[in-house]
Amino acid sequence: MRNRARMMIPLVAAGLLAAACTGGGGTPAPSVPQEQSQGAVADANPDQLPRNETLYTTGTQWGPPANYNPIREWDSAVGTKGLVYETLFHYDTNAAKLVPWLAESGSWTDDTTYELKVRQGVKWSDGQPFTAKDVVFSFELGKMETIPYHQLWDWLKSAEAVDDQTVKFTFSKANYQQWDYMLYSRSMVPEHIWKDRSEEEVLDGTNDNPVATGAYTFLSKDQDRVVLQRRDDWWGKTALNMEPKPRYIVDIATPSNEVAMGMLLQKGLDLSNNFLPGVANLVKGDFGLTTYYNEPPYMLSANTAWLVPNTTKKPMDDPAFRKALATSIDVGKIVESVYGNLVNAADPTGLLPQWEQFIDKDVVAKSGFSFDTGKAKQLLADAGYKDTDGDGFVENKDGSKIDLTIIVPSGWTDWMEAARSISASAKSAGIQITPEFPDFNALVEQRAKGDFDLLINNERGLSNSPYTYYEYIFQLPIRKQQNTVNFARYENKKAWDLVQQLDHVKTDDIPGMQKIISQLQQIHLDDLPVIPLWYNGLWAQHSTAVWKNWPSSAEGAPKTGAVLWRNWLELGGFETLTQLQPAGS
């Protein structure tokens, strides 16, 4: 099984794909680039790093590090964004607010103008000052068509460095929800290093030896790992009054979950961000391992796993069939039998528990769904789907055979078992579904082209707002290749208009957001373009052998996420590193 929660796909990242999950390579000792070896252990061999100062992690990288490019947020080496490069803000998922980082402050001065104050005293790792010009340059890279945030310039008119510490952003319209997302998700890069790079180099360049503002620098890299070293001169020590505790971070690309499990039990790993079955036995046993909760579901929720029907194909083009299909699925059985209660069944809306205040319980009570085989059969019959040939499966309204396939990647064992469970549940209601397990890359191609019946997907997780959730589900127009959003190819102009209206609501206007989100929930539950199944966990198993004070639900413990997944360091992952304590202290 590969971890599918390790990234947050950039909003409207047209044409860009999450990296394939490939196996790890060998384990020779890494060599150290000379320009990065200041103060380092002689050859940076991880076996020679001081164990009590080193954090060993796994669960993000499944193969050799591809690049160190913060623009490529989906396949860059672990820590490229968040540890080496930084963003203007972080987002506190507990307090639900932006936290100033490279920016000291930011505010809307009128309906189309946002003024940002850059934090003074921040320096790039080569000693050059970080200024407003770097912020302007970083955003203006988005004018290049292939850059993930190119669409920002559909509504951003200009970014101007008023002085060294002040940036004025002028918009044609205020998309408040997207802008908050941009503020904590876009890496700042140095103009003096990047200004002469071509568009191809900006997007596809490996970016060896990064010059950045973050608390860590890359010390070495190899086929199966990256080694990061803490910067003693990081600006945040004084400005933020915080410092990550590990002097070194070694992230290892483990070839399988079994290998990760073994390393964790042998104290060779401190943090595993993998899905590991049987965690209950580990937590309750005398292994020195902890998770966020000490009882089911053990983990925080990270994203929603959906069943995605291809709404351009018969009978998935019929909302009544989709509602019957949803009603036929025994999610409770998946939660218990497949996951051993490591996940929770999703609310019918699919909104994460952290977004509970936006769930309209009246809409759910009226239009939601739950597992009921008898009701699923009745819904099929009422909609005109009958078993006309006596084989136990219903046919289409025109009498043609319904023989659907559900695809998940080969090797993703929990999803494979979930697909089999969905097939068995649907069979009891009279719907024929056959699980198929293509190679991950083949599935990505099928998904993009619309060459599928049903699939499981979870590529939009926790963020600053449910806006990102609905933007994913309802985005229009449908393109020939749907690479990152709306794989269901569901077309509803009213829903997309509501999503855009939500974007124009200020992020602190909770009642205004609730009003629009309620309408989106109604459309979602009436039509079910995606069928929420369960909440995927923020997989994190920690060893207390070397490091303690891991996040947990216990009173007084940190409440951030213990995770190095891409794009989660700005959602509390970095803060977790600052709260760790040596086990011997």
Side-chain angles (χ1 to χ4, degrees):
M1 206 285 299
R2 299 295 188 252
N3 158 45
R4 274 88 54 197
R6 66 195 184 285
M7 68 198 78
M8 183 179 295
I9 298 298
L11 290 180
V12 205
L16 299 172
L17 297 176
C21 305
T22 54
T27 57
S31 59
V32 186
Q34 285 187 334
E35 61 274 17
Q36 292 180 342
S37 62
Q38 65 248 26
V41 173
D43 64 357
N45 185 333
D47 293 334
Q48 298 176 15
L49 297 176
R51 185 66 181 92
N52 64 342
E53 293 185 279
T54 306
L55 181 76
Y56 287 87
T57 68
T58 192
T60 301
Q61 201 82 36
W62 290 90
N67 63 77
Y68 309 87
N69 185 342
I71 303 300
R72 295 182 63 86
E73 300 169 359
W74 51 96
D75 67 350
S76 54
V78 174
T80 298
K81 175 169 170 276
L83 297 181
V84 177
Y85 289 90
E86 298 179 298
T87 56
L88 294 168
F89 290 81
H90 280 196
Y91 186 77
D92 185 332
T93 58
N94 296 309
K97 67 177 183 180
L98 290 169
V99 177
W101 208 255
L102 287 176
E104 195 170 78
S105 64
S107 62
W108 291 91
T109 57
D110 60 45
D111 288 345
T112 55
T113 309
Y114 185 90
E115 188 173 282
L116 183 130
K117 290 291 183 182
V118 173
R119 195 180 294 277
Q120 297 188 47
V122 178
K123 290 186 178 181
W124 297 100
S125 52
D126 64 358
Q128 292 290 314
F130 167 74
T131 71
K133 290 183 179 179
D134 294 307
V135 176
V136 170
F137 175 80
S138 299
F139 277 98
E140 286 192 335
L141 285 178
K143 290 182 177 180
M144 298 176 175
E145 289 189 6
T146 60
I147 303 308
Y149 49 98
H150 174 64
Q151 53 82 32
L152 169 64
W153 287 92
D154 291 344
W155 46 283
L156 175 59
K157 288 169 63 176
S158 65
E160 174 192 358
V162 177
D163 56 42
D164 280 353
Q165 253 61 56
T166 309
V167 183
K168 185 173 102 172
F169 296 93
T170 305
F171 300 89
S172 57
K173 57 183 176 180
N175 291 338
Y176 298 111
Q177 305 281 328
Q178 280 194 70
W179 184 239
D180 271 16
Y181 177 86
M182 292 284 175
L183 287 172
Y184 76 86
S185 64
R186 297 297 165 225
S187 298
M188 296 296 104
V189 299
E191 180 183 24
H192 67 283
I193 300 291
W194 287 62
K195 62 183 178 181
D196 296 324
R197 296 186 179 183
S198 66
E199 181 169 349
E200 182 180 5
E201 191 177 2
V202 168
L203 181 66
D204 295 328
T206 303
N207 191 46
D208 285 319
N209 310 325
V211 173
T213 60
Y216 286 85
T217 186
F218 284 113
L219 177 60
S220 66
K221 57 232 185 192
D222 195 42
Q223 289 297 295
D224 76 323
R225 68 191 59 200
V226 292
V227 182
L228 298 112
Q229 180 179 9
R230 191 180 63 206
R231 285 178 55 195
D232 292 332
D233 62 346
W234 180 54
W235 62 270
K237 288 170 66 175
T238 53
L240 300 175
N241 193 30
M242 63 169 61
E243 183 180 31
K245 297 308 184 289
R247 185 180 178 200
Y248 304 99
I249 296 176
V250 180
D251 188 84
I252 301 170
T254 44
S256 70
N257 286 349
E258 289 74 21
V259 171
M261 177 88 80
M263 292 178 69
L264 195 63
L265 291 172
Q266 294 165 21
K267 320 303 183 192
L269 280 177
D270 302 302
L271 170 66
S272 169
N273 291 140
N274 308 61
F275 165 73
L276 298 180
V279 160
N281 295 328
L282 297 180
V283 172
K284 292 173 181 176
D286 188 22
F287 298 107
L289 298 180
T290 61
T291 49
Y292 191 86
Y293 301 107
N294 60 9
E295 58 187 25
Y298 297 100
M299 319 288 172
L300 293 166
S301 296
N303 55 56
T304 305
W306 303 298
L307 179 64
V308 181
N310 185 339
T311 64
T312 67
K313 289 189 173 185
K314 198 166 59 173
M316 284 83 65
D317 60 347
D318 182 0
F321 179 84
R322 299 196 294 264
K323 180 62 75 80
L325 175 60
T327 306
S328 78
I329 301 170
D330 189 350
V331 175
K333 185 175 182 181
I334 295 173
V335 167
E336 187 172 345
S337 299
V338 176
Y339 283 100
N341 295 304
L342 286 181
V343 300
N344 281 334
D347 181 85
T349 65
L351 289 178
L352 287 161
Q354 295 92 328
W355 291 332
E356 186 177 9
Q357 65 175 325
F358 295 107
I359 296 175
D360 189 328
K361 292 181 168 49
D362 290 337
V363 170
V364 174
K366 181 180 69 172
S367 305
F369 63 92
S370 59
F371 169 60
D372 185 332
T373 303
K375 185 175 181 181
K377 289 180 176 179
Q378 189 61 53
L379 288 171
L380 288 169
D382 291 346
Y385 298 94
K386 295 180 172 57
D387 177 12
T388 56
D389 61 6
D391 66 351
F393 297 107
V394 298
E395 279 74 50
N396 280 305
K397 297 176 186 179
D398 62 4
S400 59
K401 190 174 183 62
I402 295 177
D403 188 4
L404 307 177
T405 58
I406 177 172
I407 56 172
V408 300
S410 176
W412 292 19
T413 52
D414 56 334
W415 282 19
M416 292 167 69
E417 287 304 312
R420 292 186 181 104
S421 184
I422 290 168
S423 171
S425 292
K427 179 179 180 180
S428 297
I431 303 171
Q432 184 164 356
I433 300 176
T434 303
E436 290 185 359
F437 311 125
D439 172 78
F440 177 81
N441 291 332
L443 181 143
V444 167
E445 186 174 347
Q446 287 178 256
R447 188 175 66 190
K449 292 179 178 178
D451 183 20
F452 70 92
D453 296 331
L454 300 161
L455 56 80
I456 299 175
N457 188 239
N458 69 335
E459 287 184 353
R460 191 54 65 85
L462 183 61
S463 75
N464 60 297
S465 167
Y467 164 79
T468 59
Y469 181 83
Y470 290 111
E471 183 265 350
Y472 181 98
I473 295 173
F474 294 119
Q475 189 184 126
L476 295 177
I478 305 298
R479 304 181 189 280
K480 187 175 181 181
Q481 289 239 138
Q482 290 288 105
N483 288 323
T484 59
V485 294
N486 195 356
F487 294 125
R489 290 164 169 75
Y490 172 77
E491 296 193 60
N492 187 318
K493 186 177 183 304
K494 180 183 177 183
W496 183 232
D497 286 346
L498 284 168
V499 172
Q500 292 170 298
Q501 287 178 38
L502 176 60
D503 201 4
H504 299 153
V505 178
K506 290 186 175 181
T507 52
D508 60 358
D509 180 5
I510 303 303
M513 292 174 65
Q514 288 171 329
K515 183 177 179 181
I516 295 174
I517 290 172
S518 174
Q519 297 174 69
L520 286 167
Q521 285 172 46
Q522 188 66 65
I523 294 173
H524 178 205
L525 291 176
D526 284 346
D527 275 15
L528 287 179
V530 298
I531 299 169
L533 299 172
W534 67 83
Y535 296 130
N536 224 40
L538 193 64
W539 312 128
Q541 300 89 17
H542 353 99
S543 169
T544 56
V546 178
W547 298 98
K548 66 181 182 180
N549 201 39
W550 292 99
S552 84
S553 58
E555 187 176 351
K559 297 295 181 284
T560 49
V563 63
L564 267 71
W565 289 338
R566 297 182 186 96
N567 302 298
W568 281 81
L569 285 160
E570 296 78 28
L571 293 171
F574 181 87
E575 286 78 357
T576 291
L577 298 176
T578 71
Q579 298 171 97
L580 290 177
Q581 298 170 5
S585 64

